Amino acid sequence: MVSLANWFLDTKNAFDTVCGRANDLFHPTIRLGVTGLSQAGKTVFITALVHNLLESSRLPLFTAARQGRIRRIAIDQQPDATIPRFDYETSIDALCNDRQWPQSTSNLSQLKISFYFDPQKTINKVFNRKKFTLELIDYPGEWLLDLPLLDKSFQYFSKKAIAVARTFDQVPEAADFLATIHAINVHDHIDERTVKHLTLTYLNYIRAQRASEQSTTLFAPGRFLMAGDYEGAPALTFCPLPNLNDKIKPNTLAGLMQSRFEAYKKHIVQPFFQNYIATLDRQIILIDALTAINGGGKSTTLLRENLAEILSCFKIGRKSWLNQLFNHRISRILVAATKADQIHHSSQDRLQRLTSQLIESTTNRAQLDPKSLAGLAIAAIRTTREATGKNNDVPFIIGTPMAGEELDGNYFDGNTEAAIFPGDLPDNLQEALDASRSGNLKFIRFRPPNGLREKPLPHIRLDRAIDFLIGDYLQ
Ligand code: GDP
């Protein structure tokens, strides 16, 4: 049955959509989601993107800029008073003034940018379409991993999550969590101290696993990994329990945990998908494939699993959750392997091919239309320059490794430049993993380069990414 509140919301959404579409005819607005797991490079990507757009920097592969048809680009007023603004100014100061990486994404934020341009297409000239607005929405990819929970019961979630924990029972935190939940009677009456203690042992376990890059993010609620505004909220104070019956009594520990699990889905997960994900027109998913390759087989399996989960959120087929809930379609998705400046340009095309292979191996499951899905290797900020060895045989990259980075037993201090041979990246994932295992591939983290204040921010293929994501709106 349709409730009055839902009916009102649907009608209002439909009205907003009709008004929005009419307005879009003359002045289109698109919402671009920027996501990826923690440390994938979202903050740096948005900062570099906005800076390059505002400063009209070198963007030869961004067609409208190359053709000289962009008159002006400006940051607009924040469109939504309830969403934090992406802190572009602080991020750019950290990069350019302090030579530090900015604070990473830990919550949802937004930035609105307007483009004023000379149209090229007849239809745009006829309608005098000279302005286009881009809303950038930055959010943690961890939150997307909650989609599969939406139609699951607490019993199902518990069974799956405990089965995953058992596969890690040699890890102290996992063993502690399993021992703790098996030592209690879940059908006992509620004791808030027990609830908190159980949740804490669960959190300790999934955060320890996450830090060691093991595959537990599946069936671990996304906000447990990245809480956003909800740290410590009751809807985040629950954990999977063993020995559950089909019907759970309300005044028991199991009953309380079940009601919080349902509250988590209803008040946190569903609104996030409804209010943000379902309103996106375009999406970029950033992946740190090089770190995953260096991390070995488990890390790359995790990367593939997470990418498949994330991509499946945008599967707008007839049976998808999103399609049933909200009638909206994302028309373009770009999966970008970040930090391509950590390898020599002779390996960058191979990183791109590896990215395409990753997408192909996951899209079978996600059933996306390949024409609207692309893979790219990019560096939002290029931290290295290139050189070859004396005999022109070894392709080096030169940059300032971050303090604490290690190579062949030497530790870097964060101030000294070094010429590094990261190895030749094979274009096959298995070979890349083998090369990494045998020490022939080693990717180092670098500091932002010197002198960013004086010159355009250097990048690799950032312009191609922009062109794929929004180029068609500037024709
Ligand atoms: P987020 O968690 O997705 O917001 O990730 P960030 O954008 O904060 O990036 C995490 C870290 O990755 C940064 O602190 C840098 O160390 C590194 N990083 C991000 N982008 C680049 C890039 O373009 N080149 C290089 N070399 N490192 C990058």
Side-chain angles (χ1 to χ4, degrees):
M1 202 177 82
V2 179
S3 76
L4 195 58
N6 276 346
W7 177 83
F8 176 74
L9 200 67
D10 286 347
T11 312
K12 184 181 171 304
N13 281 347
F15 181 72
D16 286 350
T17 307
V18 170
C19 294
R21 294 299 167 212
N23 189 34
D24 275 1
L25 258 182
F26 303 101
H27 167 191
T29 296
I30 72 150
R31 286 161 71 85
L32 167 64
V34 179
T35 201
L37 297 183
S38 168
Q39 295 294 300
K42 300 178 287 296
T43 311
V44 176
F45 173 82
I46 295 181
T47 309
L49 170 78
V50 174
H51 191 267
N52 272 289
L53 289 173
L54 295 184
E55 304 299 321
S56 313
S57 302
R58 266 177 270 138
L59 299 170
L61 301 178
F62 181 26
T63 313
R66 186 184 62 241
Q67 293 173 341
R69 290 188 294 102
I70 297 192
R71 294 267 150 250
R72 188 165 73 86
I73 301 177
I75 297 183
D76 267 1
Q77 269 194 6
Q78 186 67 358
D80 193 326
T82 59
I83 304 178
R85 179 179 182 276
F86 179 84
D87 196 353
Y88 166 70
E89 292 77 10
T90 305
S91 294
I92 203 73
D93 284 353
L95 276 168
C96 297
N97 297 343
D98 309 330
R99 230 188 131 193
Q100 300 292 345
W101 293 110
Q103 193 79 39
S104 300
T105 301
S106 60
N107 211 335
L108 187 126
S109 68
Q110 184 182 34
L111 198 69
K112 186 172 168 184
I113 300 169
S114 284
F115 294 71
Y116 300 85
F117 66 103
D118 292 334
Q120 178 187 48
K121 263 175 127 176
T122 315
I123 181 136
N124 289 344
K125 286 182 181 164
V126 169
F127 282 103
N128 202 24
R129 268 189 213 135
K130 292 180 172 174
K131 186 180 171 199
F132 155 69
T133 301
L134 176 67
E135 283 180 25
L136 292 159
I137 317 280
D138 175 27
Y139 64 93
E142 282 78 358
W143 297 357
L144 288 175
L145 304 178
D146 277 338
L147 185 72
L149 289 185
L150 272 177
D151 62 347
K152 301 291 184 303
S153 66
F154 180 59
Q155 288 90 332
Y156 184 91
F157 156 71
S158 291
K159 215 170 164 178
K160 281 280 183 186
I162 291 171
V164 173
R166 284 210 180 99
T167 64
F168 293 106
D169 60 359
Q170 73 287 10
V171 175
E173 289 87 352
D176 183 33
F177 164 66
L178 289 169
T180 312
I181 52 170
H182 282 105
I184 46 153
N185 182 352
V186 301
H187 308 294
D188 265 358
H189 285 288
I190 302 159
D191 166 5
E192 191 60 42
R193 201 178 294 176
T194 310
V195 174
K196 270 198 177 149
H197 176 63
L198 288 171
T199 307
L200 201 65
T201 52
Y202 183 59
L203 271 176
N204 285 344
Y205 143 61
I206 59 169
R207 287 183 180 165
Q209 287 302 98
R210 177 62 198 269
S212 66
E213 292 174 341
Q214 308 277 347
S215 184
T216 55
T217 49
L218 304 174
F219 280 96
R223 305 275 170 155
F224 282 44
L225 298 161
M226 188 68 78
D229 294 330
Y230 292 99
E231 188 84 54
L236 253 67
T237 313
F238 68 88
C239 73
L241 292 178
N243 310 321
L244 297 174
N245 304 326
D246 285 349
K247 250 193 150 4
I248 297 176
K249 286 199 184 126
N251 291 326
T252 60
L253 178 67
L256 179 79
M257 293 281 201
Q258 182 188 37
S259 69
R260 290 192 174 170
F261 173 78
E262 293 302 331
Y264 177 71
K265 287 179 1 188
K266 185 170 172 202
H267 298 296
I268 299 179
V269 181
Q270 190 156 332
F272 168 65
F273 279 94
Q274 191 156 11
N275 298 337
Y276 302 111
I277 304 307
T279 64
L280 297 175
D281 303 288
R282 304 273 158 107
Q283 177 66 54
I284 178 165
I285 301 166
L286 301 172
I287 57 168
D288 188 352
L290 295 177
T291 302
I293 289 169
N294 259 178
K298 271 198 169 172
S299 305
T300 44
T301 305
L302 176 61
L303 177 74
R304 186 184 276 136
E305 284 173 358
N306 284 331
L307 182 63
E309 285 297 332
I310 289 176
L311 281 171
S312 71
C313 294
F314 305 110
K315 171 180 75 172
I316 318 286
R318 196 172 295 164
K319 287 213 173 98
S320 99
W321 251 98
L322 283 178
N323 202 45
Q324 282 170 26
L325 286 173
F326 337 98
N327 195 10
H328 195 77
R329 175 176 282 272
I330 284 195
S331 48
R332 281 189 193 183
I333 300 178
L334 180 65
V335 178
T338 52
K339 312 177 195 178
D341 56 322
Q342 292 174 338
I343 50 178
H344 192 265
H345 78 264
S346 51
S347 288
Q348 283 163 8
D349 283 344
R350 279 174 253 152
L351 177 60
Q352 191 150 309
R353 281 200 286 280
L354 279 179
T355 310
S356 301
Q357 282 171 25
L358 260 179
I359 302 171
E360 276 159 22
S361 68
T362 54
T363 43
N364 286 344
R365 284 152 71 185
Q367 294 171 356
L368 282 151
D369 172 5
K371 278 188 234 114
S372 51
L373 176 66
L376 208 57
I378 65 164
I381 306 263
R382 182 180 192 149
T383 60
T384 57
R385 51 189 201 281
E386 298 191 345
T388 37
K390 271 191 203 135
N391 303 325
N392 269 356
D393 47 359
V394 184
F396 286 109
I397 50 173
I398 302 172
T400 310
M402 301 275 285
E405 285 293 284
E406 180 267 340
L407 190 65
D408 300 332
N410 298 315
Y411 287 87
F412 294 99
D413 62 8
N415 293 312
T416 316
E417 259 203 353
I420 286 163
F421 172 58
D424 285 323
L425 184 73
D427 62 2
N428 166 295
L429 196 54
Q430 193 48 50
E431 285 173 26
L433 284 170
D434 293 343
S436 173
R437 200 175 310 118
S438 53
N440 293 331
L441 278 180
K442 172 91 180 174
F443 310 117
I444 298 281
R445 293 182 313 133
F446 291 93
R447 272 186 79 181
N450 248 325
L452 286 184
R453 229 173 330 171
E454 293 88 43
K455 55 183 186 205
L457 291 190
H459 64 83
I460 298 169
R461 296 177 185 156
L462 186 62
D463 43 0
R464 184 169 287 177
I466 303 171
D467 206 56
F468 176 82
L469 290 165
I470 59 168
D472 53 327
Y473 278 90
L474 293 154
Q475 287 177 348

